[in-house]
Amino acid sequence: VEPGCVKTGDSLGAKTMAGAPTAGGGVVVEVREKKGPLRAAIPTMPFPLAVICLFLNTFIPGLGTFISAFTVLCGARSELISERGVCCVFWLNVAAALIQILTAVIMVGWIMSIFWGMDMVILASQYRSI
């Protein structure tokens, strides 16, 4: 925790940081979401590959997620690898792809697949900007 900041947590697992007042009189607040194992297993890929996976997930639900699972075996980073290992993260991504494919019939999987692809692109763009 930075000096002058207060660290708090709520029952949902979200963490907030309340800092010193800003010049405009407001308070800076940072919120970080707690990610579940499936969400934390999304690999950070090169940006062009993440865009391709988003495109595939948009038109064939689960295909981009399935391909992204193999990028973990090729060295793509994930927040969960240090805790669970590469094989577990690979199988979590395969499970997410299967969930997307099987629930695409009722539109849930298709929507989940698009959001998964968007998360891949967001992670890739954040990694690229570092």
Side-chain angles (χ1 to χ4, degrees):
V1 179
E2 296 176 10
C5 293
V6 177
K7 183 176 179 182
T8 61
D10 64 2
S11 61
L12 298 175
K15 297 176 185 173
T16 58
M17 300 281 282
T22 60
V27 175
V28 178
V29 177
E30 180 183 330
V31 178
R32 294 184 187 173
E33 66 177 311
K34 181 178 178 185
K35 299 174 184 175
L38 280 179
R39 171 64 179 80
I42 297 175
T44 302
M45 301 174 282
F47 189 77
L49 183 57
V51 171
I52 290 169
C53 287
L54 169 61
F55 180 80
L56 291 172
N57 272 351
T58 302
F59 295 103
I60 306 169
L63 182 60
T65 305
F66 188 71
I67 290 171
S68 75
F70 288 95
T71 65
V72 173
L73 297 177
C74 296
R77 298 177 183 172
S78 172
E79 296 175 18
L80 206 59
I81 288 179
S82 62
E83 294 175 26
R84 302 232 179 144
V86 174
C87 286
C88 182
V89 172
F90 167 77
W91 287 112
L92 282 170
N93 278 292
V94 170
L98 288 174
I99 291 169
Q100 292 168 6
I101 292 166
L102 295 174
T103 58
V105 178
I106 55 173
M107 298 296 287
V108 172
W110 184 57
I111 294 167
M112 178 185 174
S113 186
I114 292 171
F115 277 104
W116 223 255
M118 289 170 39
D119 283 341
M120 290 178 207
V121 172
I122 290 168
L123 284 171
S125 65
Q126 288 174 348
Y127 180 72
R128 191 167 97 169
S129 66
I130 292 176

